């Protein structure tokens, strides 16, 4: 009887963790991946590469820390580069260690230069848009999707 109770308790815990903490691997056209991990405590981690850890990423990984209610993140990862450009909300934090292979850089730190390289002004819609030859992944955190 005790084994059955422990089994069901373990099953309930596993299902609640599986349901409450969703993780998705988002592929880039260059064959690399980013992990989007939404956790219970309203934290969302966007981690370079595939991350299977159970705890908050350490500085052995480059990652973005934001909230589960964030509107989203635009990521540009050029084919021959180990730097990800991230356009994030103002409340997001970027964590990158110089000794790690892949780095995440805030797009807005050098916005004028990055805009000249990656965007153009659409005169019909009167908005800035990304150029067609740029490999960009837009991660919608609210809907947990990516384009």
């Amino acid at each position: 009887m005790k084994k059955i109770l422990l089994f069901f308790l373990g099953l309930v815990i596993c299902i609640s963790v599986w349901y409450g903490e969703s993780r998705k691997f988002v592929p880039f056209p260059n064959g690399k991946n980013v992990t989007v991990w939404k956790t219970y405590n309203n934290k969302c981690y966007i981690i370079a590469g595939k991350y299977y850890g159970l705890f908050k990423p350490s500085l052995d990984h480059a990652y973005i820390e934001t909230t589960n209610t964030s509107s989203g993140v635009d990521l540009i990862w050029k084919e021959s580069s180990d730097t990800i450009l991230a356009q994030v909300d103002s409340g997001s934090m970027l964590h990158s260690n110089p000794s790690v292979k892949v780095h995440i850089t805030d797009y807005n730190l050098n916005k004028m230069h990055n805009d000249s390289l990656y965007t153009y002004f659409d005169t019909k819609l009167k908005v800035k848009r990304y150029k067609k030859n740029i490999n960009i992944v837009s991660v919608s955190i609210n809907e947990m999707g990516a384009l």
Side-chain angles (χ1 to χ4, degrees), residues 5-37:
L5 183 62
L6 285 174
F7 173 76
F8 281 114
L9 182 62
L11 186 65
V12 167
I13 290 171
C14 286
I15 290 173
S16 64
V17 168
W18 183 296
Y19 177 74
E21 299 211 7
S22 57
R23 190 180 312 229
K24 183 175 185 173
F25 302 116
V26 179
F28 274 83
N30 61 6
K32 298 176 182 177
N33 293 288
V34 169
T35 303
V36 180
W37 181 26

Side-chain angles (χ1 to χ4, degrees), residues 26-67:
V26 179
F28 274 83
N30 61 6
K32 298 176 182 177
N33 293 288
V34 169
T35 303
V36 180
W37 181 26
K38 292 173 70 172
T39 65
Y40 272 123
N41 57 354
N42 196 30
K43 293 283 184 193
C44 180
Y45 300 103
I46 301 166
I47 308 154
K50 290 187 177 182
Y51 183 75
Y52 297 98
L54 298 175
F55 301 105
K56 175 182 174 177
S58 64
L59 286 179
D60 293 341
H61 298 27
Y63 67 96
I64 300 167
E65 184 176 339
T66 187
T67 63

